[in-house]
Amino acid sequence: MTAPDEVKPDLFISVFGGKKDDVNDALQQHIGEDAHYYQTWVNVSAMRRLGFLFVGGVESAGGVFDILCVLTIAAAILAVFLFWQVVIFIAVIIVLAIFSGGAALKFLKGTFIETTSSKVPSDKLEAFVVDQTVGGNFVQIRAPPEYELHYATKQASTATKIFRLGIYFALFIATIFMVFEVVYYVLFQNWMTQLEVLALFGSAFLIGICVMDLGVLLRRQLAKKVEY
């Protein structure tokens, strides 16, 4: 249990790009040692949630047959997720990296920082955000409504939100297209190659690229403004 006098983290910082040690050095310099941080690949949290299928499902299953059914379903879902991660996700990131000058690759791994807003002066947070932005990283801040955010912090968060939105949208369109193709093949024993449909999916995917590139452009403009 959490101690009564222990304050839960309410300031969350996400940094996409950069090495863990470099981010940690900037963290120690500007924010201090109280912050908890870790670096991980994107979608690891989704993989962790899938793990509950094996734990909770198996515990609630009654007999051996029920346990085997739960494990079979969980294994099938895990296989689909791994296929999505290895094939669709990587393919989309490669395409997005080409159209973003490599910036999309920064999305692959993020450093996530949790701390208490009362222990971090807003000017210290601003200095950390400027440091990361000038260094080419994307930074997003989630803070309590009453916590004051300065100019660079707000702009960096906005740019990162747009950057991530574009990537998520492109991934969503690519996933829907893959599902559509598989269903079409199962029904008609042939891949769908109609130009109108391909153009529709391609246009939607292009929207994701444009949104992502807008986030990249906003980050670069901010870096030029705050560089010293």
Side-chain angles (χ1 to χ4, degrees), residues 21-35:
D21 292 340
D22 294 338
V23 176
N24 181 43
D25 291 341
L27 182 66
Q28 301 301 321
Q29 177 183 354
H30 298 294
I31 296 180
E33 300 180 355
D34 291 332

Side-chain angles (χ1 to χ4, degrees), residues 50-80:
L50 286 176
F52 288 115
L53 289 174
F54 294 90
V55 179
V58 172
E59 289 178 351
S60 61
V64 175
F65 179 76
D66 293 336
I67 294 177
L68 290 177
C69 288
V70 170
L71 290 177
T72 300
I73 295 173
I77 295 175
L78 182 60
V80 171

Side-chain angles (χ1 to χ4, degrees), residues 15-18 39-42 93 97 100-111 132-133 135-138 163 167 216 219-220:
V15 181
F16 298 94
Q39 189 174 68
T40 184
W41 296 99
V42 294
I93 291 298
S100 65
L105 296 177
K106 295 179 180 295
F107 178 74
L108 289 176
K109 183 181 289 187
T111 303
Q132 296 303 303
T133 302
N137 300 333
F138 290 86
F163 171 71
I167 293 178
V216 174
R219 190 212 63 78
R220 289 176 179 172

Side-chain angles (χ1 to χ4, degrees), residues 52-227:
F52 288 115
L53 289 174
F54 294 90
V55 179
V58 172
E59 289 178 351
S60 61
V64 175
F65 179 76
D66 293 336
I67 294 177
L68 290 177
C69 288
V70 170
L71 290 177
T72 300
I73 295 173
I77 295 175
L78 182 60
V80 171
F81 179 80
L82 291 176
F83 174 82
W84 181 84
Q85 281 281 77
V86 174
V87 178
I88 299 178
F89 181 81
I90 296 300
V92 169
I93 291 298
I94 291 175
V95 173
L96 294 180
I98 295 174
F99 285 93
S100 65
L105 296 177
K106 295 179 180 295
F107 178 74
L108 289 176
K109 183 181 289 187
T111 303
F112 303 96
I113 304 163
E114 300 177 356
T115 186
T116 306
S117 59
S118 60
K119 298 181 180 180
V120 182
S122 56
D123 58 330
K124 296 290 185 180
L125 178 61
E126 177 85 348
F128 174 79
V129 171
V130 169
D131 180 275
Q132 296 303 303
T133 302
V134 173
N137 300 333
F138 290 86
V139 186
Q140 185 173 347
I141 306 297
R142 184 158 58 93
E146 65 275 8
Y147 187 82
E148 180 185 4
L149 298 178
H150 294 301
Y151 172 78
T153 304
K154 292 180 179 179
Q155 295 301 313
S157 288
T158 299
T160 303
K161 288 178 182 177
I162 295 174
F163 171 71
R164 296 178 67 188
L165 177 62
I167 293 178
Y168 284 134
F169 186 78
L171 284 168
F172 173 75
I173 295 300
T175 303
I176 295 298
F177 175 71
M178 179 60 68
V179 172
F180 182 83
E181 283 282 11
V182 171
V183 172
Y184 189 92
Y185 186 84
V186 171
L187 294 177
F188 302 104
Q189 299 301 308
N190 196 11
W191 297 111
M192 193 281 304
T193 57
Q194 296 181 14
L195 293 180
E196 295 83 359
V197 178
L198 295 178
L200 179 62
F201 278 104
S203 300
F205 189 83
L206 184 60
I207 292 176
I209 293 177
C210 293
V211 173
M212 174 198 65
D213 283 340
L214 176 60
V216 174
L217 179 62
L218 291 175
R219 190 212 63 78
R220 289 176 179 172
Q221 290 180 340
L222 177 61
K224 292 180 180 179
K225 288 183 180 180
V226 300
E227 189 172 9

